[in-house]
Amino acid sequence: MITTTEKELNLVELNLKGKDFLTLADFSEAEILGLLENAKKIKEALRKGIAFQPLQGKNLGMIFEKSSTRTRVSFETGMLQLGGHALFLSSNDLQIGRGEPISDTAQVLSEYLDGIMIRTFEHEKVEELAKYASIPVINGLTDMFHPCQVLADLLTIQECKGKVKGLKMAYIGDGNNMAHSLMIGAAKVGMDISISSPNGYKPNEEVVKRAEGFAKESGSTIVITENPVEAVTDADIIYTDVWASMGQEEESQARIQAFAANYQVNEELAKHAKDDYIFLHCLPAHRGEEVAAEIIDGSHSVIFQEAGNRMHAQKALLVEVLK
């Protein structure tokens, strides 16, 4: 197999070595776009069967307090393809699950590993881990943010639309971690975003204000509305997520009652978007709840390309922060 280097791939030099990836708010437009450009080049090399392994000898610890299909497989396979090794660390197997302070865990893991990816509940836990670790920490998901998913989303949009700046995204559903990260990501790259959620389920106001600051800098707009038709009108991208995320199972019935009447992405709603809109979903999806089967399985849906791009976007990130 032919092997290649960063120089031969002509990767964008971003100088992110050792930097934490907790939210997209900490990254500039140029850094985000650079990661997307590098992801495309790394993806193309893989497609051509060219080995790109700059992380030989590097080890990534993956802490999972929330289970996942896409996060585990994409990070583990991505590290392997880059020449490194990924170590699955269940909270049930770590002392952190038995009460060891996060600060102690961070410092101990820093002695063994080159980086940590964590998928957990409270965002404060990721921040504390990053504070005490001397190696880069990557947020694989918290209840507040999901930045790795949005990197993959932006990569998918760029592949399908040829750009990200100047487009309009409509997000329909719960004002959750996806809504928060999509707002920040869109605002950073100059994409308009409209978020439609029922009263009581809107995005966090502090996150909205922070994203609005980024939008002002990039010239994009953020609209928060309870009217899904307003949000979807003339949209280039329609995005949704489950109504009850992991850890909210007890709220499931109340959430279905709040969302079911107006917040399902279906053909009636989608007809207000542009004719060539694309549909995105971070998965897993509940067909018949947040999205109708004819939408998620229809011609506008690119959800599996989007899911595949998790690995490619994260490989670009891993190369930058671990090299």
Side-chain angles (χ1 to χ4, degrees):
M1 180 179 284
I2 299 172
T3 60
T4 191
T5 65
E6 293 175 54
K7 186 175 181 180
E8 290 170 332
L9 284 183
N10 195 28
L11 296 189
V12 179
E13 179 58 53
L14 299 173
N15 299 313
L16 300 178
K17 183 178 181 180
K19 185 171 181 176
D20 298 320
F21 187 73
L22 307 188
T23 82
L24 286 168
D26 300 325
F27 287 71
S28 68
E29 177 183 9
E31 289 170 337
I32 294 170
L33 295 178
L35 287 171
L36 300 184
E37 182 66 21
N38 288 349
K40 286 190 288 185
K41 292 175 179 178
I42 294 170
K43 180 178 180 178
E44 181 64 12
L46 178 65
R47 188 188 69 80
K48 292 179 178 179
I50 299 171
F52 177 56
Q53 298 189 323
L55 298 186
Q56 292 189 37
K58 300 289 186 178
N59 294 285
L60 178 73
M62 307 188 304
I63 301 175
F64 282 86
E65 295 192 320
K66 281 187 176 184
S67 59
S68 171
T69 300
R70 280 150 292 275
T71 299
R72 179 176 179 181
V73 177
S74 60
F75 268 106
E76 195 161 333
T77 305
M79 277 296 291
L80 179 64
Q81 290 178 358
L82 292 170
H85 176 70
L87 183 64
F88 176 76
L89 303 169
S90 166
S91 59
N92 294 327
D93 300 325
L94 295 175
Q95 295 299 333
I96 194 173
R98 301 184 181 92
E100 181 175 57
I102 295 172
S103 58
D104 288 0
T105 298
Q107 292 175 84
V108 168
L109 292 181
S110 296
E111 295 291 323
Y112 307 140
L113 303 168
D114 300 287
I116 301 170
M117 187 284 296
I118 180 170
R119 182 178 169 93
T120 187
F121 293 89
E122 304 88 353
H123 189 71
E124 293 76 15
K125 185 173 289 187
V126 176
E127 292 177 326
E128 187 174 0
L129 189 69
K131 178 181 178 180
Y132 290 99
S134 59
I135 54 177
V137 172
I138 296 172
N139 176 9
L141 175 142
T142 66
D143 288 343
M144 188 63 72
F145 298 107
H146 197 356
C148 288
Q149 177 65 52
V150 174
L151 269 187
D153 297 335
L154 293 175
L155 177 59
T156 307
I157 293 166
Q158 197 173 67
E159 289 176 337
C160 293
K161 296 294 184 180
K163 62 178 183 178
V164 289
K165 192 176 185 68
L167 298 176
K168 177 185 175 180
M169 175 187 288
Y171 174 89
I172 309 299
D174 188 25
N176 59 12
N177 51 7
M178 279 310 314
H180 295 159
S181 286
L182 286 168
M183 263 194 302
I184 292 171
K188 283 279 185 174
V189 301
M191 182 189 299
D192 297 333
I193 184 168
S194 295
I195 295 180
S196 183
S197 308
N199 189 35
Y201 297 96
K202 294 179 180 179
N204 179 281
E205 290 183 2
E206 291 185 9
V207 177
V208 173
K209 288 179 181 177
R210 193 172 189 193
E212 286 175 339
F214 299 137
K216 187 175 181 180
E217 293 175 5
S218 68
S220 61
T221 62
I222 296 174
V223 174
I224 309 296
T225 177
E226 293 181 26
N227 185 341
V229 172
E230 177 188 355
V232 168
T233 297
D234 294 327
D236 299 283
I237 306 108
I238 302 177
Y239 202 119
T240 193
D241 191 10
V242 294
W243 292 337
S245 299
M246 192 178 299
Q248 298 174 331
E249 289 81 5
E250 293 182 359
E251 304 174 25
S252 180
Q253 288 306 310
R255 285 173 170 269
I256 288 173
Q257 291 180 3
F259 286 92
N262 298 308
Y263 296 91
Q264 183 189 80
V265 176
N266 51 37
E267 289 184 341
E268 180 64 24
L269 181 60
K271 72 180 183 182
H272 297 282
K274 291 182 179 177
D275 292 341
D276 63 347
Y277 82 90
I278 59 172
F279 173 76
L280 299 177
H281 192 305
C282 55
L283 301 179
H286 295 161
R287 288 165 172 79
E289 289 189 11
E290 74 273 8
V291 60
E294 61 266 22
I295 295 293
I296 194 169
D297 298 321
S299 60
H300 293 274
S301 177
V302 291
I303 59 168
F304 298 116
Q305 178 180 344
E306 175 191 13
N309 278 338
R310 282 290 302 276
M311 183 177 74
H312 305 301
Q314 289 161 190
K315 284 171 70 175
L317 176 65
L318 288 166
V319 168
E320 278 299 316
V321 301
L322 296 185
K323 66 184 179 183

